Amino acid sequence: MKVGDISIDIVSDGTMLLDGGSVFGQVPKTMWEVQMKPDRRNRVRMGLNCVVVQTPSANILIDSGAGSKRPDSFKDTYGLNGNKLLKGLKKLGLTSRDIDLVVLSHLHFDHVGGCTKLDRSGKAIPAFPKARHMVQKTCWEEANTPNERAQHAYHKDDFLPLLENDVLDLLDGDTDIAPGIRVKVTDGHSDGHQAVLMEIGSERIVYMADLVPTPYHVPLAHIGAFDHSPNDTLAAKRELLEMAVKGGWLMIFGHAFTQRAGYLEQRNGHTQLFPVEM
């Protein structure tokens, strides 16, 4: 999408497979399998979507996918077919050194793994060495001291090198990060989870991350079992979906595999998604 001298693109880091029951939480399988067909291990395919915003003054990356550091056993468990982000950036004429700012919705491995890479000695170092990396302080605190339900989602070599190399900025609540671009804390999925809102020219775009990970999570009750506080997710989701309908916001889904973006409209009392190619 091009708006004046600013471009917004969805860049994929690949795909992963997650247990369908976990992805849809309390929604019965008989309902969700019609929309997302599971494999023989009951896993559904999820996209690893990132967003690149190119402005005259900065190149901004929103989320970084899963990266390539994890061992083969881990990749098999999650069906990871990733490490595509840098190729996607190249298609936009960018390299890792061209990224000025990385905004992280949260610190789960499938959103932050691409922020670091292994050097020749096997040490994790920042993958975007010139970029400042922004995440909520509460998210950082949870990632460093996760409880038993959340600890599988965090890998410290994804994010501690950002602190060690002094490229980390901790945010405290809703924040303007660039002209027309701001983050809004939603919590729910994790402490400090944040959506990214962009108002550029006449366009209004919101990156939903894991608040509404796929188009099939637009129904309010469709909340994954991974969520830290489902009722907080529900409240934030209701607020942003109402905003999207009333304000004509284009929604970008963090884990959509096919319909990665779309507009919501109310027709005859029903909410309908109109997909947009990006």
Side-chain angles (χ1 to χ4, degrees):
M1 177 177 289
K2 187 81 172 176
V3 184
D5 55 2
I6 297 174
S7 62
I8 304 101
D9 294 275
I10 299 175
V11 178
S12 173
D13 189 49
T15 62
M16 67 186 300
L17 296 171
L18 289 178
D19 178 78
S22 296
V23 168
F24 285 96
Q26 67 183 18
V27 180
K29 183 177 181 180
T30 53
M31 292 178 61
W32 62 255
E33 69 178 350
V34 177
Q35 299 171 318
M36 298 184 76
K37 186 175 178 59
D39 67 6
R40 59 183 178 82
R41 294 164 68 178
N42 203 49
R43 303 176 302 177
V44 294
R45 188 168 298 279
M46 311 281 282
L48 298 170
N49 299 325
C50 312
V51 178
V52 176
V53 183
Q54 294 176 267
T55 78
S57 59
N59 296 312
I60 303 169
L61 174 65
I62 304 172
D63 280 348
S64 65
S68 61
K69 300 186 302 297
R70 305 277 73 87
D72 289 343
S73 58
F74 185 92
K75 293 177 181 177
D76 179 68
T77 298
Y78 289 97
L80 273 176
N81 179 21
N83 198 28
K84 306 287 196 302
L85 177 57
L86 294 183
K87 292 180 181 178
L89 292 178
K90 186 176 181 180
K91 291 180 180 179
L92 298 177
L94 300 172
T95 70
S96 60
R97 300 185 70 83
D98 293 320
I99 301 300
D100 302 295
L101 176 63
V102 179
V103 182
L104 297 166
S105 61
H106 60 303
L107 295 175
H108 288 171
F109 74 86
D110 51 327
H111 291 259
V112 71
C115 282
T116 64
K117 63 180 182 180
L118 300 180
D119 65 12
R120 292 181 179 179
S121 68
K123 179 183 178 181
I125 60 173
F128 305 100
K130 294 185 177 181
R132 303 301 303 175
H133 296 68
M134 293 186 171
V135 69
Q136 290 292 324
K137 180 181 178 182
T138 51
C139 183
W140 178 263
E141 292 169 347
E142 178 183 294
N144 280 278
T145 57
N147 63 26
E148 290 81 0
R149 288 190 70 242
Q151 60 187 9
H152 73 282
Y154 296 110
H155 298 268
K156 292 187 177 181
D157 59 351
D158 287 340
F159 50 84
L160 283 185
L162 306 179
L163 176 66
E164 295 164 355
N165 287 271
D166 194 26
V167 293
L168 177 70
D169 293 327
L170 297 179
L171 307 179
D172 186 12
D174 299 351
T175 306
D176 293 329
I177 61 170
I181 304 176
R182 68 186 192 275
V183 295
K184 179 177 178 58
V185 178
T186 69
D187 292 322
H189 182 68
S190 71
D191 286 352
H193 180 282
Q194 57 188 3
V196 183
L197 287 73
M198 295 164 268
E199 296 186 70
I200 300 171
S202 61
E203 294 293 336
R204 295 178 174 181
I205 304 165
V206 53
Y207 173 68
M208 300 296 249
D210 277 357
L211 182 68
V212 186
T214 78
Y216 309 118
H217 289 79
V218 168
L220 291 175
H222 290 208
I223 295 172
F226 300 111
D227 284 43
H228 183 282
S229 301
N231 285 339
D232 290 341
T233 297
L234 179 62
K237 184 176 175 180
R238 182 184 291 112
E239 178 185 351
L240 284 192
L241 290 180
E242 289 178 356
M243 177 197 78
V245 171
K246 293 178 181 178
W249 288 73
L250 175 66
M251 299 188 304
I252 298 177
F253 306 106
H255 285 298
F257 179 50
T258 51
Q259 299 176 3
R260 301 187 298 179
Y263 293 97
L264 278 182
E265 292 186 9
Q266 288 277 3
R267 291 191 176 183
N268 300 321
H270 297 285
T271 301
Q272 187 173 354
L273 178 72
F274 292 87
V276 171
E277 290 292 331
M278 287 187 67

mmCIF file of all heavy atoms in Angstrom, residues 139-185:
data_model
loop_
_atom_site.group_PDB
_atom_site.id
_atom_site.type_symbol
_atom_site.label_atom_id
_atom_site.label_comp_id
_atom_site.label_asym_id
_atom_site.label_seq_id
_atom_site.Cartn_x
_atom_site.Cartn_y
_atom_site.Cartn_z
ATOM 1 N N CYS A 139 5.605 -6.083 29.366
ATOM 2 C CA CYS A 139 5.863 -7.252 28.536
ATOM 3 C C CYS A 139 7.272 -7.785 28.800
ATOM 4 O O CYS A 139 7.486 -8.998 28.929
ATOM 5 C CB CYS A 139 5.686 -6.883 27.063
ATOM 6 S SG CYS A 139 5.903 -8.270 25.922
ATOM 7 N N TRP A 140 8.227 -6.870 28.888
ATOM 8 C CA TRP A 140 9.610 -7.244 29.180
ATOM 9 C C TRP A 140 9.707 -7.965 30.531
ATOM 10 O O TRP A 140 10.391 -8.976 30.663
ATOM 11 C CB TRP A 140 10.484 -5.993 29.180
ATOM 12 C CG TRP A 140 11.918 -6.238 29.502
ATOM 13 C CD1 TRP A 140 12.528 -6.098 30.714
ATOM 14 C CD2 TRP A 140 12.929 -6.692 28.594
ATOM 15 N NE1 TRP A 140 13.858 -6.428 30.622
ATOM 16 C CE2 TRP A 140 14.130 -6.792 29.337
ATOM 17 C CE3 TRP A 140 12.937 -7.002 27.243
ATOM 18 C CZ2 TRP A 140 15.329 -7.209 28.752
ATOM 19 C CZ3 TRP A 140 14.138 -7.406 26.660
ATOM 20 C CH2 TRP A 140 15.312 -7.506 27.411
ATOM 21 N N GLU A 141 9.016 -7.449 31.517
ATOM 22 C CA GLU A 141 9.067 -8.052 32.844
ATOM 23 C C GLU A 141 8.473 -9.457 32.841
ATOM 24 O O GLU A 141 9.022 -10.370 33.468
ATOM 25 C CB GLU A 141 8.327 -7.147 33.838
ATOM 26 C CG GLU A 141 9.047 -5.827 34.089
ATOM 27 C CD GLU A 141 8.209 -4.827 34.859
ATOM 28 O OE1 GLU A 141 6.985 -5.058 34.997
ATOM 29 O OE2 GLU A 141 8.776 -3.800 35.302
ATOM 30 N N GLU A 142 7.360 -9.656 32.135
ATOM 31 C CA GLU A 142 6.776 -10.993 32.072
ATOM 32 C C GLU A 142 7.696 -11.959 31.340
ATOM 33 O O GLU A 142 7.863 -13.110 31.758
ATOM 34 C CB GLU A 142 5.416 -10.959 31.365
ATOM 35 C CG GLU A 142 4.801 -12.357 31.245
ATOM 36 C CD GLU A 142 3.487 -12.375 30.495
ATOM 37 O OE1 GLU A 142 2.516 -11.807 31.010
ATOM 38 O OE2 GLU A 142 3.428 -12.979 29.406
ATOM 39 N N ALA A 143 8.300 -11.503 30.246
ATOM 40 C CA ALA A 143 9.155 -12.375 29.446
ATOM 41 C C ALA A 143 10.371 -12.853 30.232
ATOM 42 O O ALA A 143 10.867 -13.967 30.014
ATOM 43 C CB ALA A 143 9.601 -11.654 28.172
ATOM 44 N N ASN A 144 10.851 -12.027 31.145
ATOM 45 C CA ASN A 144 12.026 -12.398 31.928
ATOM 46 C C ASN A 144 11.699 -13.231 33.154
ATOM 47 O O ASN A 144 12.581 -13.906 33.695
ATOM 48 C CB ASN A 144 12.785 -11.124 32.344
ATOM 49 C CG ASN A 144 13.648 -10.574 31.230
ATOM 50 O OD1 ASN A 144 14.762 -11.048 31.007
ATOM 51 N ND2 ASN A 144 13.131 -9.592 30.509
ATOM 52 N N THR A 145 10.430 -13.191 33.587
ATOM 53 C CA THR A 145 10.007 -14.012 34.735
ATOM 54 C C THR A 145 8.652 -14.662 34.441
ATOM 55 O O THR A 145 7.679 -14.418 35.161
ATOM 56 C CB THR A 145 9.925 -13.161 36.016
ATOM 57 O OG1 THR A 145 9.023 -12.063 35.785
ATOM 58 C CG2 THR A 145 11.292 -12.647 36.428
ATOM 59 N N PRO A 146 8.575 -15.479 33.400
ATOM 60 C CA PRO A 146 7.280 -16.062 33.033
ATOM 61 C C PRO A 146 6.840 -17.140 34.017
ATOM 62 O O PRO A 146 7.665 -17.804 34.638
ATOM 63 C CB PRO A 146 7.557 -16.665 31.653
ATOM 64 C CG PRO A 146 9.009 -17.032 31.697
ATOM 65 C CD PRO A 146 9.658 -15.939 32.504
ATOM 66 N N ASN A 147 5.526 -17.311 34.132
ATOM 67 C CA ASN A 147 5.034 -18.402 34.969
ATOM 68 C C ASN A 147 5.013 -19.704 34.175
ATOM 69 O O ASN A 147 5.412 -19.742 33.008
ATOM 70 C CB ASN A 147 3.649 -18.074 35.545
ATOM 71 C CG ASN A 147 2.579 -17.915 34.466
ATOM 72 O OD1 ASN A 147 2.678 -18.471 33.376
ATOM 73 N ND2 ASN A 147 1.538 -17.151 34.788
ATOM 74 N N GLU A 148 4.543 -20.751 34.812
ATOM 75 C CA GLU A 148 4.606 -22.081 34.182
ATOM 76 C C GLU A 148 3.753 -22.168 32.911
ATOM 77 O O GLU A 148 4.078 -22.933 32.000
ATOM 78 C CB GLU A 148 4.142 -23.150 35.182
ATOM 79 C CG GLU A 148 5.113 -23.386 36.337
ATOM 80 C CD GLU A 148 5.004 -22.361 37.447
ATOM 81 O OE1 GLU A 148 4.160 -21.430 37.347
ATOM 82 O OE2 GLU A 148 5.775 -22.454 38.428
ATOM 83 N N ARG A 149 2.675 -21.400 32.824
ATOM 84 C CA ARG A 149 1.832 -21.440 31.629
ATOM 85 C C ARG A 149 2.482 -20.749 30.446
ATOM 86 O O ARG A 149 2.222 -21.097 29.293
ATOM 87 C CB ARG A 149 0.472 -20.770 31.890
ATOM 88 C CG ARG A 149 -0.480 -21.540 32.778
ATOM 89 C CD ARG A 149 -1.868 -20.917 32.769
ATOM 90 N NE ARG A 149 -2.529 -21.101 31.473
ATOM 91 C CZ ARG A 149 -2.903 -20.104 30.683
ATOM 92 N NH1 ARG A 149 -2.653 -18.847 31.012
ATOM 93 N NH2 ARG A 149 -3.522 -20.353 29.542
ATOM 94 N N ALA A 150 3.315 -19.754 30.721
ATOM 95 C CA ALA A 150 3.842 -18.910 29.650
ATOM 96 C C ALA A 150 5.290 -19.212 29.269
ATOM 97 O O ALA A 150 5.751 -18.785 28.209
ATOM 98 C CB ALA A 150 3.729 -17.435 30.053
ATOM 99 N N GLN A 151 6.011 -19.952 30.099
ATOM 100 C CA GLN A 151 7.458 -20.034 29.897
ATOM 101 C C GLN A 151 7.854 -20.684 28.581
ATOM 102 O O GLN A 151 8.916 -20.373 28.026
ATOM 103 C CB GLN A 151 8.106 -20.780 31.068
ATOM 104 C CG GLN A 151 7.636 -22.200 31.275
ATOM 105 C CD GLN A 151 8.206 -22.804 32.554
ATOM 106 O OE1 GLN A 151 8.824 -22.098 33.368
ATOM 107 N NE2 GLN A 151 7.999 -24.093 32.746
ATOM 108 N N HIS A 152 6.995 -21.550 28.016
ATOM 109 C CA HIS A 152 7.338 -22.196 26.753
ATOM 110 C C HIS A 152 7.382 -21.202 25.599
ATOM 111 O O HIS A 152 8.010 -21.474 24.561
ATOM 112 C CB HIS A 152 6.307 -23.281 26.429
ATOM 113 C CG HIS A 152 4.990 -22.728 25.989
ATOM 114 N ND1 HIS A 152 4.066 -22.224 26.873
ATOM 115 C CD2 HIS A 152 4.456 -22.574 24.746
ATOM 116 C CE1 HIS A 152 3.009 -21.790 26.206
ATOM 117 N NE2 HIS A 152 3.214 -21.983 24.921
ATOM 118 N N ALA A 153 6.732 -20.056 25.748
ATOM 119 C CA ALA A 153 6.619 -19.094 24.648
ATOM 120 C C ALA A 153 7.786 -18.130 24.578
ATOM 121 O O ALA A 153 7.919 -17.385 23.602
ATOM 122 C CB ALA A 153 5.313 -18.309 24.773
ATOM 123 N N TYR A 154 8.633 -18.130 25.609
ATOM 124 C CA TYR A 154 9.727 -17.171 25.670
ATOM 125 C C TYR A 154 11.085 -17.869 25.569
ATOM 126 O O TYR A 154 11.309 -18.900 26.203
ATOM 127 C CB TYR A 154 9.670 -16.386 26.985
ATOM 128 C CG TYR A 154 8.437 -15.522 27.129
ATOM 129 C CD1 TYR A 154 7.447 -15.845 28.057
ATOM 130 C CD2 TYR A 154 8.266 -14.383 26.349
ATOM 131 C CE1 TYR A 154 6.316 -15.050 28.203
ATOM 132 C CE2 TYR A 154 7.138 -13.583 26.485
ATOM 133 C CZ TYR A 154 6.163 -13.923 27.408
ATOM 134 O OH TYR A 154 5.052 -13.145 27.544
ATOM 135 N N HIS A 155 11.981 -17.267 24.794
ATOM 136 C CA HIS A 155 13.361 -17.737 24.687
ATOM 137 C C HIS A 155 14.248 -16.499 24.849
ATOM 138 O O HIS A 155 14.211 -15.596 24.008
ATOM 139 C CB HIS A 155 13.606 -18.413 23.337
ATOM 140 C CG HIS A 155 12.767 -19.632 23.128
ATOM 141 N ND1 HIS A 155 13.189 -20.901 23.459
ATOM 142 C CD2 HIS A 155 11.510 -19.782 22.638
ATOM 143 C CE1 HIS A 155 12.242 -21.775 23.173
ATOM 144 N NE2 HIS A 155 11.204 -21.125 22.676
ATOM 145 N N LYS A 156 15.012 -16.480 25.903
ATOM 146 C CA LYS A 156 15.722 -15.256 26.256
ATOM 147 C C LYS A 156 16.771 -14.836 25.235
ATOM 148 O O LYS A 156 17.127 -13.648 25.153
ATOM 149 C CB LYS A 156 16.330 -15.393 27.656
ATOM 150 C CG LYS A 156 15.255 -15.456 28.744
ATOM 151 C CD LYS A 156 15.822 -15.419 30.143
ATOM 152 C CE LYS A 156 14.692 -15.412 31.173
ATOM 153 N NZ LYS A 156 15.197 -15.346 32.566
ATOM 154 N N ASP A 157 17.264 -15.788 24.425
ATOM 155 C CA ASP A 157 18.218 -15.376 23.395
ATOM 156 C C ASP A 157 17.531 -14.625 22.255
ATOM 157 O O ASP A 157 18.201 -14.087 21.374
ATOM 158 C CB ASP A 157 19.012 -16.571 22.854
ATOM 159 C CG ASP A 157 18.143 -17.657 22.245
ATOM 160 O OD1 ASP A 157 16.903 -17.580 22.374
ATOM 161 O OD2 ASP A 157 18.704 -18.599 21.645
ATOM 162 N N ASP A 158 16.200 -14.554 22.280
ATOM 163 C CA ASP A 158 15.473 -13.732 21.311
ATOM 164 C C ASP A 158 15.523 -12.255 21.672
ATOM 165 O O ASP A 158 15.464 -11.400 20.788
ATOM 166 C CB ASP A 158 13.999 -14.150 21.225
ATOM 167 C CG ASP A 158 13.791 -15.467 20.506
ATOM 168 O OD1 ASP A 158 14.687 -15.885 19.739
ATOM 169 O OD2 ASP A 158 12.720 -16.085 20.707
ATOM 170 N N PHE A 159 15.602 -11.938 22.986
ATOM 171 C CA PHE A 159 15.456 -10.540 23.378
ATOM 172 C C PHE A 159 16.517 -9.992 24.328
ATOM 173 O O PHE A 159 16.783 -8.786 24.324
ATOM 174 C CB PHE A 159 14.054 -10.294 23.977
ATOM 175 C CG PHE A 159 13.637 -11.268 25.045
ATOM 176 C CD1 PHE A 159 14.019 -11.105 26.357
ATOM 177 C CD2 PHE A 159 12.819 -12.355 24.725
ATOM 178 C CE1 PHE A 159 13.611 -11.990 27.341
ATOM 179 C CE2 PHE A 159 12.395 -13.242 25.700
ATOM 180 C CZ PHE A 159 12.792 -13.066 27.016
ATOM 181 N N LEU A 160 17.184 -10.827 25.140
ATOM 182 C CA LEU A 160 18.214 -10.284 26.025
ATOM 183 C C LEU A 160 19.364 -9.609 25.281
ATOM 184 O O LEU A 160 19.900 -8.601 25.756
ATOM 185 C CB LEU A 160 18.750 -11.383 26.955
ATOM 186 C CG LEU A 160 17.856 -11.772 28.132
ATOM 187 C CD1 LEU A 160 18.562 -12.781 29.026
ATOM 188 C CD2 LEU A 160 17.439 -10.549 28.947
ATOM 189 N N PRO A 161 19.778 -10.119 24.101
ATOM 190 C CA PRO A 161 20.843 -9.413 23.366
ATOM 191 C C PRO A 161 20.472 -7.979 22.990
ATOM 192 O O PRO A 161 21.367 -7.153 22.778
ATOM 193 C CB PRO A 161 21.034 -10.280 22.113
ATOM 194 C CG PRO A 161 20.650 -11.658 22.561
ATOM 195 C CD PRO A 161 19.474 -11.426 23.477
ATOM 196 N N LEU A 162 19.195 -7.661 22.925
ATOM 197 C CA LEU A 162 18.786 -6.285 22.626
ATOM 198 C C LEU A 162 19.164 -5.368 23.780
ATOM 199 O O LEU A 162 19.634 -4.242 23.579
ATOM 200 C CB LEU A 162 17.284 -6.222 22.374
ATOM 201 C CG LEU A 162 16.732 -7.171 21.318
ATOM 202 C CD1 LEU A 162 15.211 -7.012 21.199
ATOM 203 C CD2 LEU A 162 17.404 -6.941 19.964
ATOM 204 N N LEU A 163 18.990 -5.855 25.017
ATOM 205 C CA LEU A 163 19.393 -5.091 26.199
ATOM 206 C C LEU A 163 20.910 -5.022 26.297
ATOM 207 O O LEU A 163 21.482 -3.952 26.541
ATOM 208 C CB LEU A 163 18.809 -5.741 27.456
ATOM 209 C CG LEU A 163 19.215 -5.120 28.794
ATOM 210 C CD1 LEU A 163 18.640 -3.711 28.909
ATOM 211 C CD2 LEU A 163 18.737 -5.983 29.958
ATOM 212 N N GLU A 164 21.556 -6.151 26.074
ATOM 213 C CA GLU A 164 23.014 -6.216 26.203
ATOM 214 C C GLU A 164 23.727 -5.325 25.198
ATOM 215 O O GLU A 164 24.825 -4.814 25.474
ATOM 216 C CB GLU A 164 23.467 -7.669 26.035
ATOM 217 C CG GLU A 164 22.961 -8.590 27.153
ATOM 218 C CD GLU A 164 23.071 -10.061 26.796
ATOM 219 O OE1 GLU A 164 23.448 -10.369 25.643
ATOM 220 O OE2 GLU A 164 22.758 -10.905 27.662
ATOM 221 N N ASN A 165 23.104 -5.106 24.047
ATOM 222 C CA ASN A 165 23.717 -4.265 23.013
ATOM 223 C C ASN A 165 23.127 -2.859 22.963
ATOM 224 O O ASN A 165 23.392 -2.101 22.028
ATOM 225 C CB ASN A 165 23.561 -4.941 21.650
ATOM 226 C CG ASN A 165 24.460 -6.144 21.481
ATOM 227 O OD1 ASN A 165 25.598 -6.027 21.036
ATOM 228 N ND2 ASN A 165 23.958 -7.326 21.849
ATOM 229 N N ASP A 166 22.352 -2.518 23.987
ATOM 230 C CA ASP A 166 21.828 -1.168 24.155
ATOM 231 C C ASP A 166 21.022 -0.688 22.950
ATOM 232 O O ASP A 166 21.179 0.441 22.483
ATOM 233 C CB ASP A 166 22.972 -0.186 24.441
ATOM 234 C CG ASP A 166 22.465 1.158 24.964
ATOM 235 O OD1 ASP A 166 21.369 1.182 25.556
ATOM 236 O OD2 ASP A 166 23.151 2.178 24.746
ATOM 237 N N VAL A 167 20.136 -1.568 22.451
ATOM 238 C CA VAL A 167 19.260 -1.168 21.341
ATOM 239 C C VAL A 167 17.789 -1.343 21.747
ATOM 240 O O VAL A 167 16.905 -1.446 20.889
ATOM 241 C CB VAL A 167 19.561 -1.964 20.053
ATOM 242 C CG1 VAL A 167 20.938 -1.613 19.525
ATOM 243 C CG2 VAL A 167 19.432 -3.476 20.284
ATOM 244 N N LEU A 168 17.522 -1.354 23.051
ATOM 245 C CA LEU A 168 16.181 -1.617 23.576
ATOM 246 C C LEU A 168 15.592 -0.369 24.221
ATOM 247 O O LEU A 168 16.264 0.316 24.994
ATOM 248 C CB LEU A 168 16.241 -2.738 24.618
ATOM 249 C CG LEU A 168 14.934 -3.099 25.312
ATOM 250 C CD1 LEU A 168 13.982 -3.783 24.333
ATOM 251 C CD2 LEU A 168 15.198 -4.005 26.514
ATOM 252 N N ASP A 169 14.326 -0.076 23.878
ATOM 253 C CA ASP A 169 13.575 0.990 24.526
ATOM 254 C C ASP A 169 12.314 0.392 25.141
ATOM 255 O O ASP A 169 11.509 -0.221 24.431
ATOM 256 C CB ASP A 169 13.172 2.072 23.515
ATOM 257 C CG ASP A 169 14.373 2.830 22.965
ATOM 258 O OD1 ASP A 169 15.347 3.012 23.709
ATOM 259 O OD2 ASP A 169 14.328 3.225 21.789
ATOM 260 N N LEU A 170 12.145 0.563 26.457
ATOM 261 C CA LEU A 170 10.964 0.049 27.145
ATOM 262 C C LEU A 170 9.916 1.156 27.237
ATOM 263 O O LEU A 170 10.193 2.254 27.726
ATOM 264 C CB LEU A 170 11.341 -0.449 28.541
ATOM 265 C CG LEU A 170 12.317 -1.630 28.578
ATOM 266 C CD1 LEU A 170 12.624 -2.019 30.028
ATOM 267 C CD2 LEU A 170 11.760 -2.824 27.813
ATOM 268 N N LEU A 171 8.712 0.856 26.754
ATOM 269 C CA LEU A 171 7.621 1.817 26.743
ATOM 270 C C LEU A 171 6.746 1.626 27.973
ATOM 271 O O LEU A 171 6.657 0.543 28.530
ATOM 272 C CB LEU A 171 6.781 1.640 25.480
ATOM 273 C CG LEU A 171 7.535 1.661 24.142
ATOM 274 C CD1 LEU A 171 6.563 1.460 22.992
ATOM 275 C CD2 LEU A 171 8.321 2.954 23.978
ATOM 276 N N ASP A 172 6.070 2.687 28.348
ATOM 277 C CA ASP A 172 5.187 2.636 29.515
ATOM 278 C C ASP A 172 3.803 3.128 29.098
ATOM 279 O O ASP A 172 3.440 4.282 29.286
ATOM 280 C CB ASP A 172 5.747 3.495 30.644
ATOM 281 C CG ASP A 172 4.952 3.355 31.940
ATOM 282 O OD1 ASP A 172 4.124 2.427 32.027
ATOM 283 O OD2 ASP A 172 5.165 4.177 32.854
ATOM 284 N N GLY A 173 3.042 2.236 28.461
ATOM 285 C CA GLY A 173 1.698 2.582 28.040
ATOM 286 C C GLY A 173 1.626 3.026 26.592
ATOM 287 O O GLY A 173 2.596 2.949 25.835
ATOM 288 N N ASP A 174 0.441 3.504 26.192
ATOM 289 C CA ASP A 174 0.216 3.952 24.822
ATOM 290 C C ASP A 174 1.225 5.042 24.473
ATOM 291 O O ASP A 174 1.445 5.982 25.259
ATOM 292 C CB ASP A 174 -1.198 4.495 24.659
ATOM 293 C CG ASP A 174 -2.272 3.450 24.961
ATOM 294 O OD1 ASP A 174 -1.915 2.266 25.138
ATOM 295 O OD2 ASP A 174 -3.453 3.831 25.017
ATOM 296 N N THR A 175 1.838 4.928 23.285
ATOM 297 C CA THR A 175 2.948 5.812 22.943
ATOM 298 C C THR A 175 2.939 6.140 21.460
ATOM 299 O O THR A 175 2.716 5.263 20.619
ATOM 300 C CB THR A 175 4.302 5.142 23.288
ATOM 301 O OG1 THR A 175 4.313 4.729 24.658
ATOM 302 C CG2 THR A 175 5.473 6.076 23.032
ATOM 303 N N ASP A 176 3.199 7.410 21.123
ATOM 304 C CA ASP A 176 3.453 7.797 19.733
ATOM 305 C C ASP A 176 4.901 7.456 19.423
ATOM 306 O O ASP A 176 5.818 7.907 20.125
ATOM 307 C CB ASP A 176 3.228 9.295 19.542
ATOM 308 C CG ASP A 176 1.768 9.693 19.719
ATOM 309 O OD1 ASP A 176 0.887 8.870 19.405
ATOM 310 O OD2 ASP A 176 1.517 10.828 20.173
ATOM 311 N N ILE A 177 5.119 6.666 18.369
ATOM 312 C CA ILE A 177 6.489 6.233 18.071
ATOM 313 C C ILE A 177 7.050 6.884 16.818
ATOM 314 O O ILE A 177 8.263 6.877 16.602
ATOM 315 C CB ILE A 177 6.559 4.707 17.935
ATOM 316 C CG1 ILE A 177 5.672 4.208 16.801
ATOM 317 C CG2 ILE A 177 6.184 4.025 19.246
ATOM 318 C CD1 ILE A 177 5.892 2.755 16.463
ATOM 319 N N ALA A 178 6.195 7.449 15.979
ATOM 320 C CA ALA A 178 6.598 8.144 14.764
ATOM 321 C C ALA A 178 5.389 8.949 14.311
ATOM 322 O O ALA A 178 4.259 8.682 14.757
ATOM 323 C CB ALA A 178 7.031 7.155 13.684
ATOM 324 N N PRO A 179 5.573 9.938 13.443
ATOM 325 C CA PRO A 179 4.418 10.710 12.983
ATOM 326 C C PRO A 179 3.323 9.813 12.397
ATOM 327 O O PRO A 179 3.564 9.054 11.462
ATOM 328 C CB PRO A 179 5.023 11.623 11.908
ATOM 329 C CG PRO A 179 6.445 11.803 12.340
ATOM 330 C CD PRO A 179 6.845 10.469 12.914
ATOM 331 N N GLY A 180 2.138 9.872 12.991
ATOM 332 C CA GLY A 180 1.009 9.092 12.509
ATOM 333 C C GLY A 180 1.002 7.640 12.954
ATOM 334 O O GLY A 180 0.104 6.881 12.580
ATOM 335 N N ILE A 181 1.977 7.217 13.754
ATOM 336 C CA ILE A 181 2.076 5.816 14.173
ATOM 337 C C ILE A 181 2.169 5.767 15.699
ATOM 338 O O ILE A 181 3.008 6.441 16.305
ATOM 339 C CB ILE A 181 3.302 5.124 13.550
ATOM 340 C CG1 ILE A 181 3.259 5.236 12.028
ATOM 341 C CG2 ILE A 181 3.353 3.654 13.975
ATOM 342 C CD1 ILE A 181 4.486 4.671 11.340
ATOM 343 N N ARG A 182 1.299 4.957 16.298
ATOM 344 C CA ARG A 182 1.315 4.838 17.749
ATOM 345 C C ARG A 182 1.008 3.407 18.154
ATOM 346 O O ARG A 182 0.461 2.633 17.370
ATOM 347 C CB ARG A 182 0.287 5.783 18.388
ATOM 348 C CG ARG A 182 -1.168 5.439 18.116
ATOM 349 C CD ARG A 182 -2.089 6.512 18.680
ATOM 350 N NE ARG A 182 -3.491 6.128 18.696
ATOM 351 C CZ ARG A 182 -4.325 6.251 17.678
ATOM 352 N NH1 ARG A 182 -3.878 6.743 16.524
ATOM 353 N NH2 ARG A 182 -5.589 5.895 17.795
ATOM 354 N N VAL A 183 1.388 3.072 19.379
ATOM 355 C CA VAL A 183 1.066 1.752 19.923
ATOM 356 C C VAL A 183 -0.005 1.913 20.990
ATOM 357 O O VAL A 183 -0.046 2.915 21.710
ATOM 358 C CB VAL A 183 2.303 1.038 20.501
ATOM 359 C CG1 VAL A 183 3.311 0.738 19.396
ATOM 360 C CG2 VAL A 183 2.963 1.853 21.606
ATOM 361 N N LYS A 184 -0.867 0.902 21.062
ATOM 362 C CA LYS A 184 -1.932 0.877 22.060
ATOM 363 C C LYS A 184 -1.852 -0.428 22.832
ATOM 364 O O LYS A 184 -1.900 -1.510 22.238
ATOM 365 C CB LYS A 184 -3.302 1.006 21.391
ATOM 366 C CG LYS A 184 -4.471 0.963 22.378
ATOM 367 C CD LYS A 184 -5.801 1.170 21.673
ATOM 368 C CE LYS A 184 -6.970 1.071 22.655
ATOM 369 N NZ LYS A 184 -6.867 2.056 23.755
ATOM 370 N N VAL A 185 -1.711 -0.337 24.134
ATOM 371 C CA VAL A 185 -1.604 -1.525 24.973
ATOM 372 C C VAL A 185 -2.966 -2.211 25.052
ATOM 373 O O VAL A 185 -3.988 -1.571 25.340
ATOM 374 C CB VAL A 185 -1.109 -1.165 26.384
ATOM 375 C CG1 VAL A 185 -1.046 -2.413 27.257
ATOM 376 C CG2 VAL A 185 0.259 -0.495 26.311
#
